[in-house]
Amino acid sequence: MGDHKTAAPTVGEALVEELAARGVQHVFGIPGVHTVELYRGLGRSDLRHITPRHEQGAGFMADGYARVSGRPGVAFVITGPGLTNTLTPMAQARADSVPMLVVSGVNESGSLGHGMGHLHELPDQHALAKMVALKSEHVAAPEQLTPALDQAFAPIAGAALSRPGPTHVQIPLDVAGSAATDRDGQETAPTDVQGRGSVSQTDLAALMQRLTAAERPVILAGGGARFCADQLRQLAEYLGAPVVQTVNARGVMFDHPLSVPASPSLGSVREMIGAADLVLALGTELGPTDYDMYATGVMPQMPGLIRVDLCAEQLARHRAELTIQSDVAAVLSAVLAEWKPDHYSPTDWGIGLAEQTRAAAWDEIGESYRAQVMVLNALRSAVPGAIVVGDSAQPIYAGNLYYDHDRPGGWFNAATGYGALGYGIPAAIGAAIAAPEAPVICIVGDGGAQFSLPEIMTAVDEALPITFLVWNNHGYQEIARSMQDVGVPVVGCDPTPPDFAATARSFGISHRAVSADPQEVAVAVKSAATETGPRMIEITTPKFLPTLATED
């Protein structure tokens, strides 16, 4: 044991060295007997290890970290239950194109596939991971470690022209502790998920011709545009084009007269899109959770559709007049470099239409949701530039329909795409690790909070100044309303919430109880922001009482 420092590094130690060489700075994980060798090198490395309370928390932390930092989030999990607990975060990351690497152990090589009942054994762990991960690599021998990492990092770190997502590498117990092979001084380039792809002159010419000929252009901005807000605003101003932002693009056009920070599922927004003579869709998959959340089965009409996306498969899923497979930033840079002042003289058609659509969308979302958006607006004013991370909760649903955030990439949640409950608390922790200088607010319902409430102790351990805002309506109110609306008896929607004040005390953090009055919430958040470490604010609203059906 004492001579290990002078011995050749093990595969587990080489793994840590390679992750550091690829730009990884943080690892989220829970050690176990099947990952001991993966941890051997961590104590002597510069990588910072964060310990969640559940492997699902590790995955969601990696997700939130990646969304804010732009770098892959990395999770270490054990064989079997560690991996299966992480599959839900991996699925959420895949739905939202979030770069994530999950490194797991797996049973000894000679035992795989024999079903002998070893600890944490699965029939075929590798096959299971392949069903969710973009890539899953098995390291069968020490010399396969570097190639496996190369394969795993390619889709998440800019080496491949495709949307990022979760990848997986598994290392058998016997391989992890064996001597690593000599890499002969090879260097590994740090990773960067931004700036992929280039634009051919043919595509650029076709795009410029269509843009300059358009009289009523509209831009649809998705999550792929969140890292190029300045370029997007400049193009919108050149075109005079309203910009509709999906959930993952909110913040890129804050308080701009051409901004439409509203869901394209709303009838008023659909009407505006349909009135265009050209629709430029940038980094958006045109998925139904953004474009048809009311499940009408009908997508908005998109005249003269042009799509820019990293993924060739995504581009093939919707008919378009022109498709360009590239990073959005690369396309915007190319267009702006080609733009000449006389190319197009935009009218104020776009500004007027955007203003009209904002007013109509605000009216359309209804009184209840408007009241909740006013709470969000008060939070934004109280804590400018905050990263707001949400779970599936009433104010998040409202904000996804209509809310203008003041930080690009600073509004994201799990109430879209895969829609996993329990996301908010751990994802907010990952976000705070990635951006220690930024205020972080986590908005979570009382129901969703109970999926991952213990993860707050990770925020305590790390002294993270996160405001956990619990919207307590005493149950699954959105689901209860949905059941009642279709005549289904409301069953199972009223789980008793914990005493959040007592829970906060047990965590050693402050607790404030307020009503849903926007100014009261703002005062509480401002006060909480003066504290160090995490804090909790509980907003209590009336419990939903289903209307009993009556017979005629």
Side-chain angles (χ1 to χ4, degrees):
M1 293 285 293
D3 295 333
H4 181 75
K5 291 183 180 179
T6 60
T10 65
V11 170
E13 290 173 304
L15 166 71
V16 172
E17 292 176 3
E18 289 222 30
L19 291 177
R22 294 170 193 265
V24 174
Q25 299 174 11
H26 299 86
V27 173
F28 304 90
I30 301 175
V33 293
H34 282 190
T35 53
V36 168
E37 288 298 333
L38 303 187
Y39 279 76
R40 186 182 291 278
L42 271 176
R44 294 192 294 273
S45 77
D46 292 330
L47 271 64
R48 180 177 167 192
H49 182 271
I50 294 92
T51 307
R53 298 319 191 245
H54 190 280
E55 289 92 357
Q56 180 171 279
F60 285 145
M61 288 178 194
D63 177 300
Y65 176 90
R67 293 192 199 225
V68 171
S69 70
R71 299 187 300 273
V74 178
F76 277 12
V77 300
I78 64 166
T79 307
L83 180 68
T84 55
N85 284 339
T86 316
L87 288 176
T88 293
M90 291 170 70
Q92 182 74 48
R94 180 158 185 162
D96 285 343
S97 303
V98 177
M100 175 194 298
L101 170 64
V102 175
V103 180
S104 77
V106 71
N107 292 92
E108 291 191 359
S109 303
S111 73
L112 299 180
H114 296 300
M116 298 299 292
H118 289 278
L119 180 65
H120 302 330
E121 185 178 40
L122 284 167
D124 191 338
Q125 179 176 292
H126 193 203
L128 180 63
K130 283 182 178 180
M131 298 298 292
V132 180
L134 296 177
K135 279 187 176 291
S136 177
E137 297 295 318
H138 177 78
V139 180
E143 62 270 18
Q144 293 182 9
L145 176 64
T146 296
L149 289 173
D150 288 341
Q151 288 295 311
F153 270 90
I156 63 176
L161 189 59
S162 61
R163 284 182 175 229
T167 61
H168 169 244
V169 172
Q170 67 176 25
I171 305 176
L173 300 181
D174 52 314
V175 175
S178 62
T181 56
D182 188 354
R183 299 185 66 240
D184 298 324
Q186 300 176 51
E187 293 188 1
T188 304
T191 61
D192 182 2
V193 298
Q194 304 173 35
R196 284 175 285 181
S198 58
V199 188
S200 72
Q201 286 301 311
T202 300
D203 283 342
L204 181 58
L207 177 58
M208 292 297 298
Q209 187 276 325
R210 285 169 168 80
L211 291 179
T212 56
E215 296 182 355
R216 301 184 308 280
V218 168
I219 297 173
L220 306 179
R226 69 188 183 278
F227 290 125
C228 43
D230 291 342
Q231 296 164 300
L232 177 62
R233 285 193 294 269
Q234 188 175 351
L235 178 61
E237 290 167 359
Y238 282 173
L239 290 171
V243 181
V244 179
Q245 297 126 68
T246 67
V247 170
N248 287 327
R250 299 292 172 82
V252 295
M253 294 284 291
F254 175 62
D255 202 28
H256 194 287
L258 288 168
S259 175
V260 181
S263 170
S265 293
L266 294 171
S268 50
V269 181
R270 287 179 165 217
E271 183 178 347
M272 184 193 74
I273 297 170
D277 62 357
L278 178 145
V279 176
L280 176 62
L282 300 173
T284 173
E285 67 178 358
L286 304 179
T289 55
D290 270 310
Y291 291 84
D292 188 28
M293 65 169 292
Y294 296 112
T296 66
V298 178
M299 291 286 286
Q301 294 298 309
M302 301 182 186
L305 179 62
I306 300 172
R307 294 194 67 195
V308 178
D309 201 283
L310 278 170
C311 180
E313 292 179 354
Q314 285 287 352
L315 291 173
R317 287 175 184 151
H318 297 275
R319 182 176 296 178
E321 288 192 3
L322 176 65
T323 60
I324 300 175
Q325 186 184 5
S326 178
D327 181 73
V328 172
V331 171
L332 290 178
S333 294
V335 169
L336 294 174
E338 288 286 316
W339 203 274
K340 302 294 188 293
D342 61 347
H343 265 165
Y344 185 60
S345 299
T347 67
D348 58 4
W349 172 86
I351 291 177
L353 185 59
E355 182 179 14
Q356 174 185 328
T357 304
R358 288 194 300 271
W362 179 250
D363 183 67
E364 186 178 346
I365 65 173
E367 182 179 359
S368 176
Y369 275 168
R370 285 196 296 271
Q372 292 167 50
V373 174
M374 290 174 69
V375 172
L376 298 175
N377 291 340
L379 286 173
R380 184 188 62 213
S381 298
V383 190
I387 298 169
V388 180
V389 185
D391 218 312
S392 294
Q394 289 284 317
I396 296 298
Y397 298 138
N400 285 351
L401 281 176
Y402 189 111
Y403 171 65
D404 194 11
H405 197 52
D406 63 352
R407 181 188 180 110
W411 171 270
F412 59 89
N413 54 78
T416 183
Y418 193 62
L421 264 177
Y423 172 86
I425 292 173
I429 292 170
I433 294 290
E437 79 292 346
V440 176
I441 299 173
C442 173
I443 301 178
V444 59
D446 59 291
Q450 293 181 71
F451 276 60
S452 53
L453 196 57
E455 301 300 347
I456 291 179
M457 284 307 298
T458 302
V460 172
D461 286 348
E462 300 294 330
L464 300 174
I466 302 172
T467 300
F468 293 100
L469 196 155
V470 180
W471 188 270
N472 187 356
N473 56 24
H474 307 278
Y476 303 136
Q477 189 173 119
E478 189 77 10
I479 299 170
R481 291 185 185 277
S482 297
M483 295 172 79
Q484 179 176 272
D485 288 346
V486 295
V488 173
V490 177
V491 176
C493 293
D494 56 352
T496 302
D499 182 331
F500 285 106
T503 302
R505 284 196 301 273
S506 75
F507 291 158
I509 65 177
S510 66
H511 173 274
R512 292 169 175 81
V514 298
S515 73
D517 175 80
Q519 293 311 310
E520 191 177 343
V521 174
V523 169
V525 170
K526 275 187 175 181
S527 175
T530 63
E531 301 175 5
T532 58
R535 72 288 300 213
M536 182 184 294
I537 297 174
E538 180 182 359
I539 300 176
T540 302
T541 66
K543 182 176 181 178
F544 174 68
L545 298 175
T547 302
L548 296 177
T550 58
E551 295 185 6
D552 294 335

